[in-house]
Amino acid sequence: MNHTGRILLVGRHFWPLACFDSSGFLVQLATDLHRAEDRSGHRVEVLTPRYSASCPERFVYREMVVHRPAMAPRSDWSMGRYVRHLTTWLKTNIQSFDIVVCDSIREEALAVVEAAAGSAAKIVLISSQYGSQSDPAWWQSSRLARRCAGAANLAHCVVVKDAQSERLLLGKGIAAEKIQRIPIGFTGSIGLPNELTLGILDEADDRKPSGEKTIARRRLGNINTDLRTMPDTPVVVCCGRFQRDSGMDLLARSARLLIARYPDLRIWFIGDGPNRHSMHDFVRGDGVRNSISMPGSFNDLSDVYTAADVYVQADEDGLDSFLPTAVSAALPIVAIDTPAVRSVLGMNRSAIGNASIGNEKIGNGPNLARLFSGATTKSLRAGLREILDDLPAGRAKAIELKRHLLRTRPQSQVIESYLDLFQRLKRSSDSPKRSNRSSNSSIEAAS
């Protein structure tokens, strides 16, 4: 058995902050690494801030120890104090860990790199978010943010999730030998009755059982009366943060004309954020409040995805967790057409247009999800109308997309890539020790 040692995952958001896409990504990564403990011999722990003074500084989540020594920053003024507290804890405890993984190259990365100076721990930074919201783009926002670019140069490895992020890092001067691309993975445990560990769908499982959807809708309706629907009511779901000029804002501005065309349509906005109340007032002013639900956040989105008919991805926030979960639920996808979205969905025309596995043709990637060009309400409505007018065809394409991604980018393969990276880093740290021991033995023999 290869022993990786102790792994510390560091992130701003972790369970139960399900309204953040980064939280879903970090929880998934930590859980899957922990599940691989038996064969890799490592131990996973998590470092994250606490958001209330009443929260415990240490708890156990799915057999993983979670440390919360510092209060989360609530403003730019408190950010410096947060980084100092995080750095102090890391300096005290970092000798206990072999690998430290930070889920972004932002303020937490500064604390990790500073605390690791002079220690044997290997530092891995993961470039977070995409496009204009990516870490390299954020580095231009302030003096403190520009310091984070220096942290990337001091790390042992920087993980990127797509080619666009890799190009951005190279353009910022990050050494190519430090960069490793590990894409987002997909699981088969949501939305269909069988566990699709091999990415193979039986013909009998090609549609979500109506009974499963009915049960999920009944459970959600008991939790929140705004989520009560009839079994045949079309439901569109969008997950993310309520922020100005976000994908949720675009869908809210499209709601009035969509509901005029489909009077029984229900739109669920799942999440929280600073503009939640203003968006609520907007849809109420449009007279569509009865068709809109804003129930807040869920720690587990399984029932939400099982109960829904269509998933909307109208911006580049949510590509690490929310969108992959929707694919795993075999939901028809209506998404904005950007390089990042295409990369996550594996819909690069040159890569998938003629893809096949064995004698089975996978199909034309760009046709497996409905992409709309430009962040406009008109293009979004056109994409939704195409799916809602023929839901069976949309479900068939969603199942085909899920089948393709389960075979080409399973989450198990992603975890193996991380474990291989950790093993390489650990071997590189062991090599000097072995050479030093050999040198000492030679000196003793000569004397």
Side-chain angles (χ1 to χ4, degrees):
M1 178 186 295
N2 293 324
H3 293 276
T4 306
R6 295 179 68 185
I7 301 172
L8 180 66
L9 302 182
V10 183
R12 182 81 56 87
H13 305 113
F14 192 70
W15 182 91
L17 303 174
C19 61
F20 292 93
D21 182 64
S22 59
S23 172
F25 171 78
L26 190 58
V27 167
Q28 183 76 50
L29 179 61
T31 302
D32 290 339
L33 286 174
H34 173 69
R35 288 173 180 169
E37 179 179 343
D38 291 340
R39 67 177 185 275
S40 61
H42 63 261
R43 180 179 175 184
V44 178
E45 299 184 22
V46 179
L47 175 63
T48 190
R50 64 185 188 276
Y51 285 77
S52 172
S54 61
C55 294
E57 294 189 11
R58 186 178 183 273
F59 71 99
V60 177
Y61 174 79
R62 296 182 179 177
E63 302 180 345
M64 293 176 290
V65 177
V66 180
H67 307 276
R68 297 191 293 189
M71 288 294 297
R74 299 185 180 276
S75 64
D76 293 339
W77 178 83
S78 61
M79 180 60 72
R81 181 178 60 183
Y82 164 68
V83 173
R84 288 194 299 271
H85 288 177
L86 211 61
T87 305
T88 300
W89 187 93
L90 283 165
K91 285 182 176 179
T92 304
N93 296 276
I94 200 166
Q95 296 294 344
S96 302
F97 300 96
D98 298 280
I99 305 289
V100 180
V101 182
C102 190
D103 73 342
S104 68
I105 316 179
R106 304 203 176 193
E107 290 88 354
E108 289 80 11
L110 291 175
V112 168
V113 169
E114 181 179 346
S119 73
K122 297 298 183 179
I123 305 304
V124 177
L125 305 180
I126 302 176
S127 182
S128 65
Q129 301 194 49
Y130 301 84
S132 61
Q133 303 299 318
S134 66
D135 289 346
W138 175 80
W139 291 343
Q140 308 303 315
S141 62
S142 68
R143 181 180 177 183
L144 179 61
R146 285 191 290 273
R147 288 179 54 199
C148 296
N153 279 312
L154 296 175
H156 296 93
C157 181
V158 178
V159 174
V160 297
K161 301 164 188 171
D162 65 337
Q164 183 185 28
S165 299
E166 183 173 0
R167 289 192 294 269
L168 287 173
L169 287 175
L170 291 172
K172 296 298 181 181
I174 309 301
E177 58 269 17
K178 283 190 176 184
I179 301 175
Q180 174 163 342
R181 194 189 308 178
I182 303 179
I184 294 296
F186 295 83
T187 63
S189 58
I190 295 177
L192 287 171
N194 292 345
E195 193 78 23
L196 305 177
T197 56
L198 298 179
I200 300 174
L201 291 172
D202 295 333
E203 291 300 326
D205 298 329
D206 275 359
R207 65 178 63 187
K208 188 183 303 181
S210 58
E212 184 183 355
K213 177 182 290 188
T214 300
I215 292 171
R217 291 190 176 189
R218 184 181 300 121
R219 282 198 293 256
L220 293 173
N222 291 335
I223 295 172
N224 190 317
T225 56
D226 281 352
L227 298 177
R228 288 181 179 173
T229 62
M230 299 300 292
D232 56 348
T233 298
V235 173
V236 173
V237 65
C238 181
C239 299
R241 298 277 292 163
F242 290 93
Q243 296 175 328
R244 189 177 303 276
D245 298 325
S246 65
M248 282 191 167
D249 184 58
L250 184 66
L251 181 57
R253 289 187 280 114
S254 306
R256 181 176 60 85
L257 293 178
L258 284 171
I259 292 168
R261 182 182 178 94
Y262 308 99
D264 196 33
L265 179 67
R266 297 293 182 270
I267 303 177
W268 294 353
F269 294 94
I270 308 298
D272 291 289
N275 286 354
R276 186 173 186 272
H277 293 294
S278 60
M279 189 176 296
H280 181 276
D281 293 339
F282 175 80
V283 297
R284 186 174 59 183
D286 266 1
V288 295
R289 175 63 187 86
N290 291 336
S291 300
I292 303 293
S293 296
M294 299 179 181
S297 300
F298 292 78
N299 292 334
D300 186 349
L301 291 170
S302 298
D303 278 347
V304 173
Y305 285 110
T306 302
D309 293 295
V310 183
Y311 182 83
V312 171
Q313 180 67 48
D315 58 15
E316 293 185 330
D317 181 27
L319 303 186
D320 286 338
S321 178
F322 295 146
L323 179 60
T325 305
V327 172
S328 297
L331 280 176
I333 306 295
V334 177
I336 189 168
D337 190 357
T338 68
V341 171
R342 284 185 173 273
S343 176
V344 171
L345 294 177
M347 293 175 60
N348 297 319
R349 288 185 175 90
S350 59
I352 299 182
N354 298 316
S356 62
I357 296 176
N359 295 322
E360 181 181 3
K361 187 176 180 181
I362 295 301
N364 188 9
N367 292 328
L368 299 181
R370 178 56 167 88
L371 302 185
F372 63 92
S373 302
T376 65
T377 58
K378 182 178 180 180
S379 58
L380 173 57
R381 290 197 308 272
L384 278 170
R385 286 198 303 267
E386 182 177 320
I387 299 297
L388 292 172
D389 287 345
D390 193 355
L391 274 175
R395 294 190 187 104
K397 290 181 179 180
I399 291 171
E400 189 176 354
L401 177 63
K402 176 178 179 176
R403 179 189 291 118
H404 171 76
L405 292 173
L406 283 174
R407 289 174 172 171
T408 58
R409 299 218 311 264
Q411 179 68 4
S412 59
Q413 183 177 321
V414 170
I415 296 303
E416 288 300 325
S417 297
Y418 275 104
L419 293 177
D420 289 344
L421 170 62
F422 299 159
Q423 285 292 337
R424 291 199 305 272
L425 292 176
K426 191 169 185 297
R427 284 196 297 269
S428 67
S429 64
D430 290 341
S431 297
K433 297 179 182 178
R434 288 194 294 269
S435 60
N436 289 337
R437 285 196 296 268
S438 300
S439 300
N440 293 336
S441 299
S442 301
I443 294 173
E444 291 173 2
S447 62

